[in-house]
């Protein structure tokens, strides 16, 4: 089981590093917003797998709350993109 | 053993979708495409990871309805919330004037909105067109369409676009500085 957790976390970290590379070479703000979303979901996946590895009971609480509040950051970023206009 | 294989398959497939999404972000050429390719991670990757975690949790701690409820909320939340968020972000990105890949065609956002004629006079309504940002963007689209139609010799569309360019140019010239706030 530990192998699965480690492999999944490694793949997610690789995805996050690729996202950071894209963030470093981004030319427009929309790309930055999209990549920041990707990093957020990578972090959620890593936290879920970590909680699964240590046998914590908060795995699904983390997943449910993260899925519900993830929209806030994206909507805030989209308001920043349009400089406050709708 | 079988459960471990199932969990590994679910979790690694989910992580693979996130990785594919990250690679696609490197290869996409504009911001709208990057927002689009993110949906592979949020719509399939994270729900699969959560499902794998649920299978493992059922094996170690047993099945409870509360956990199933949380998993259903998480999966539906990932799919629905990320769809709404991506829609909002894509709209904001387009309206903020982010550069769009020139290969994007048809780009209906850059065209004039279709107007139903006024029932009293039969003429198109005045003053109800979209905001001026989309006008200006339609102007650039029309320039691209003109240069394309010059090579493809479709004179009718180039004439339409020339008319539209002349009218949008005056609209852009009449833009007051207050609109840029």
């Amino acid at each position: 089981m530990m192998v699965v957790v480690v492999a999944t976390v490694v793949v997610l970290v690789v995805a996050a590093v690729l996202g950071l590379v894209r963030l470093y070479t981004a030319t427009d703000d929309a790309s930055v917003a999209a990549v920041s979303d990707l990093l957020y979901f990578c972090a959620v996946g890593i936290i879920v797998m970590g909680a699964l590895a240590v046998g914590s009971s908060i795995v699904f609480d983390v997943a449910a709350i993260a899925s519900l509040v993830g929209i806030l950051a994206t909507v805030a970023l989209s308001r920043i993109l349009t400089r406050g206009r709708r | 053993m079988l459960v471990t294989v199932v969990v590994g398959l679910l979790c690694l497939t989910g992580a693979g979708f996130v990785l594919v999404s990250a690679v696609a972000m490197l290869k996409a050429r504009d911001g709208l495409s990057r927002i689009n390719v993110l949906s592979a991670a949020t719509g399939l990757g994270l729900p699969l990871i959560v499902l794998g975690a649920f299978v493992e949790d059922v094996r170690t701690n047993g099945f409870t309805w509360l956990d199933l409820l949380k998993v259903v909320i998480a999966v539906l939340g990932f799919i629905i919330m990320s769809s709404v968020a991506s829609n909002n972000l894509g709209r904001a990105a387009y309206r903020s004037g982010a550069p769009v890949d020139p290969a994007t065609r048809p780009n209906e956002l850059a065209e004039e909105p279709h107007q139903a004629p006024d029932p009293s006079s039969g003429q198109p309504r005045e003053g109800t067109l979209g905001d001026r940002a989309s006008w200006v963007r339609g102007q650039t689209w029309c320039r691209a369409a003109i240069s394309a139609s010059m090579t493809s010799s479709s004179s009718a569309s180039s004439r339409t676009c020339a008319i539209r360019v002349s009218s949008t140019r005056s609209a852009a010239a009449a833009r007051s500085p207050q609109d840029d706030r």
Side-chain angles (χ1 to χ4, degrees):
Chain A
M1 192 56 220
M2 213 57 195
V3 178
V4 171
V5 171
V6 170
T8 307
V9 169
V10 165
V11 173
L12 287 175
V13 167
V14 169
V17 169
L18 285 179
L20 284 176
V21 170
R22 182 69 257 181
L23 202 60
Y24 188 69
T25 60
T27 53
D28 57 335
D29 293 340
S31 301
V32 175
V35 172
S36 68
D37 255 13
L38 180 74
L39 288 179
Y40 172 77
F41 287 112
C42 283
V44 171
I46 291 172
I47 290 172
V48 166
M49 295 317 288
L52 190 68
V54 301
S56 175
S57 60
I58 61 158
V59 179
F60 306 117
D61 300 84
V62 168
I65 294 174
S67 71
L68 291 181
V69 302
I71 191 173
L72 293 180
T74 312
V75 171
L77 281 171
S78 60
R79 288 301 291 274
I80 291 172
L81 279 181
T82 53
R83 303 284 188 272
R85 291 191 300 181
R86 289 184 186 280
Chain B
M1 184 61 201
L2 180 66
V3 177
T4 305
V5 171
V6 170
V7 171
L9 215 57
L10 286 173
C11 288
L12 286 175
T13 310
F17 272 110
V18 178
L19 184 64
V20 164
S21 176
V23 173
M25 286 216 179
L26 284 177
K27 295 178 78 71
R29 290 190 290 179
D30 60 345
L32 279 181
S33 301
R34 290 192 188 105
I35 296 167
N36 186 22
V37 300
L38 180 68
S39 57
T42 60
L44 269 174
L46 268 298
L48 283 177
I49 289 177
V50 172
L51 271 183
F54 180 62
V55 173
E56 172 64 19
D57 188 68
V58 166
R59 187 181 69 170
T60 53
N61 299 332
F63 175 83
T64 58
W65 285 101
L66 187 59
D67 278 347
L68 182 64
L69 180 67
K70 288 173 189 169
V71 168
V72 168
I73 289 176
V75 170
L76 288 182
F78 277 128
I79 295 173
I80 296 172
M81 290 296 176
S82 71
S83 307
V84 177
S86 294
N87 194 350
N88 201 339
L89 187 59
R91 182 178 180 277
Y94 194 82
R95 292 204 45 165
S96 69
V100 179
D101 190 350
T104 305
R105 184 164 301 179
N107 184 1
E108 294 183 344
L109 287 173
E111 298 172 9
E112 288 180 46
H114 176 71
Q115 294 284 315
D118 197 353
S120 60
S121 63
Q123 298 294 320
R125 290 191 185 93
E126 292 290 330
T128 56
L129 289 171
D131 61 319
R132 286 183 177 133
S134 64
W135 271 104
V136 175
R137 205 170 281 123
Q139 185 182 2
T140 56
W141 181 84
C142 277
R143 279 184 185 142
I146 288 169
S147 60
S149 63
M150 278 175 179
T151 57
S152 68
S153 77
S154 71
S155 60
S157 69
S158 79
R159 197 178 305 131
T160 315
C161 280
I163 293 168
R164 203 192 290 166
V165 165
S166 63
S167 62
T168 53
R169 190 172 290 149
S170 61
R175 197 156 65 131
S176 65
Q178 284 184 341
D179 289 337
D180 288 332
R181 263 190 311 179

